[in-house]
Amino acid sequence: MDVFAEGLAILRRFIAEQGVVDHRDVLAIEKEFRLPVGPFEVLGFIDRVDWIDDETVEVIDYKTNHQLFTRDEVDTSLQMSLYEVAVRRLWPWAKKVKLTFWMLRHGVRQETTRTEEQLADALAYVETLGRQTETATEYPARLNTNCSYCDHRKQCPAYADALKGKREFIVEDLADLEGVAREREEVARLAKALYARKEELEDILKAQLKERDELVLGGVRYRMFATTSLDYPLEPTLTLLADATGLSRDEVLGKLGAIDKKALDALLKSLGKKLDKPRVSLLKAELEAHADKRMSPRLWAKEVA
C-alpha cells in the first residue's frame, strides 16, 4: 500500500470512529502556546482540546505510530506534561485535564493524567535542559534511525561515517548484555542508514533502466524484471479442485479456506456506515474469538530517557 492510500485509509477509519462532533465542544484545533519556563519559552501546538464538562478538558494528540506506547511511556510523556501546563494557563477554569494519545493506526485512545508533582518535575527538567543547551559549546552529530530522512545528511560527518561502515563499538564478551545491547543499537542505526542509501542509489539505476534494457557498471549487470503473483478466484478454483479430487466443495474449502485479514478489515469498515459502532465492535470481537492466533516473536527496542 502506498503512503497516500495508507493515509487515506487511516483518515477514513478515524472519521468512522470519531462520528459526529458538536463543534461547540471543541475548544481548539492546532492551538499554539508559548509557555514561560524560567528564562526560557517553550513554543508548541496542541492538536485538539475538547470541553468535557464545566471543570474538565481533554487534550488529544494524534499519533500515527506503528507501535502503541507502553503504559510507562504514556504516563511519563514530557510532551503531554507540557501540554497540560499550557492548557491550565489557557483555560484556567479547568480543574481537571485528561490527556489522550489517539493512536490512529490502531484505533486506540491511550489516556493518562498528571499530578502536580509530575508537572513541576517536567518544568524543572525543561529549564535544566535549556541551561545545559546555553552552556554547551559543541553539538556533535549522533547517528540515529531518522538520519535517512534528514535534509542535511549529505553535510553530516556522522552520516558520512555511517556510509563508510565506520564502527564505534564492537562487544568483545558476548556475555556482556550491556555491550551486546549497545552494539545492537549501533548496528541497527548503521543498517537503516545504509539501506536508505542503497534505495537512493537503486532509484538512480532504475531511472536509467527505463530507457535501456540493461546497464553494465563496475563488472555488474543490472536489469529490470517483473515478478508474478497469483490470486486464485474462489468459485472456479473450488470447482476445479472438487472435480479433480472427488471432494465436495465444502471439504475443499475447509482444507484451503482462510479469510484475508486486510479484506476482512475493509469489509468491517464498510459495515461501519450501515451498522452502529457497538454492533460492529461486537461483530469484530466475535470474529476474533473464532480466529486462529499465531504468535511470531519479534524484538522491540526503544531508547529510554
Side-chain angles (χ1 to χ4, degrees):
M1 181 184 293
D2 62 34
V3 175
F4 178 81
E6 184 180 20
L8 187 60
I10 290 173
L11 183 59
R12 284 174 171 163
R13 181 169 64 185
F14 163 72
I15 292 172
E17 291 170 352
Q18 173 66 87
V20 178
V21 177
D22 188 336
H23 70 276
R24 293 170 295 182
D25 291 340
V26 180
L27 298 176
I29 297 290
E30 281 294 309
K31 179 63 177 177
E32 177 181 333
F33 66 87
R34 295 178 181 271
L35 185 63
V37 182
F40 308 105
E41 184 179 68
V42 176
L43 169 64
F45 296 85
I46 303 174
D47 287 346
R48 175 172 158 185
V49 182
D50 281 6
W51 175 88
I52 302 300
D53 56 42
D54 288 342
E55 60 177 25
T56 309
V57 298
E58 180 180 14
V59 171
I60 298 174
D61 188 63
Y62 299 113
K63 295 294 187 187
T64 57
N65 301 28
H66 287 276
Q67 293 278 354
L68 292 173
F69 290 125
T70 65
R71 185 70 255 169
D72 183 64
E73 287 172 328
V74 173
D75 290 339
T76 60
S77 166
L78 177 63
Q79 175 191 6
M80 281 303 201
S81 296
L82 294 177
Y83 280 4
E84 174 160 345
V85 175
V87 163
R88 287 181 179 274
R89 297 184 185 183
L90 290 167
W91 290 277
W93 52 264
K95 298 178 181 178
K96 301 176 184 177
V97 179
K98 184 166 73 170
L99 305 169
T100 300
F101 285 117
W102 195 323
M103 313 302 286
L104 298 175
R105 289 183 186 274
H106 308 274
V108 172
R109 294 162 65 107
Q110 296 188 277
E111 300 175 354
T112 186
T113 56
R114 293 290 183 271
T115 64
E116 295 295 335
E117 182 181 4
Q118 286 176 309
L119 298 179
D121 288 345
L123 293 176
Y125 173 77
V126 170
E127 183 173 351
T128 300
L129 197 62
R131 294 188 186 280
Q132 290 176 343
T133 303
E134 279 195 330
T135 57
T137 56
E138 294 184 1
Y139 302 91
R142 291 180 56 201
L143 189 70
N144 63 70
T145 54
N146 295 314
C147 287
S148 57
Y149 308 112
C150 178
D151 293 334
H152 305 285
R153 63 184 183 277
K154 292 182 179 179
Q155 292 80 41
C156 176
Y159 188 74
D161 286 342
L163 296 185
K164 296 174 185 176
K166 184 177 179 180
R167 299 284 302 278
E168 293 183 359
F169 178 79
I170 298 177
V171 64
E172 295 181 0
D173 181 5
L174 295 181
D176 174 13
L177 292 183
E178 286 287 344
V180 168
R182 178 181 171 185
E183 183 179 352
R184 187 266 175 195
E185 295 311 307
E186 180 183 336
V187 170
R189 292 190 292 268
L190 283 170
K192 185 162 186 177
L194 290 170
Y195 185 78
R197 179 62 170 174
K198 172 177 169 287
E199 288 191 321
E200 182 181 3
L201 298 174
E202 285 182 349
D203 286 343
I204 296 172
L205 295 173
K206 289 176 183 178
Q208 293 296 318
L209 287 169
K210 288 180 179 179
E211 302 175 358
R212 60 190 80 183
D213 292 334
E214 67 177 30
L215 293 170
V216 179
L217 303 167
V220 178
R221 189 183 306 276
Y222 297 95
R223 284 183 176 179
M224 296 296 296
F225 67 95
T227 59
T228 302
S229 60
L230 298 176
D231 291 322
Y232 297 93
L234 182 62
E235 289 301 325
T237 302
L238 288 178
T239 299
L240 286 171
L241 288 174
D243 291 343
T245 61
L247 299 173
S248 69
R249 288 167 55 87
D250 287 343
E251 289 174 320
V252 173
L253 186 58
K255 291 180 178 295
L256 299 179
I259 303 298
D260 180 75
K261 186 177 185 304
K262 289 184 178 179
L264 178 60
D265 288 342
L267 177 60
L268 290 173
K269 285 180 186 178
S270 67
L271 288 176
K273 301 175 183 178
K274 302 176 182 178
L275 305 176
D276 56 44
K277 186 176 179 180
R279 179 68 186 97
V280 174
S281 298
L282 178 59
L283 176 59
K284 186 175 181 180
E286 291 172 340
L287 290 168
E288 289 178 352
H290 290 285
D292 291 328
K293 295 180 175 62
R294 296 188 300 273
M295 304 298 291
S296 300
R298 295 180 62 186
L299 179 65
W300 179 85
K302 184 178 178 67
E303 187 174 346
V304 295

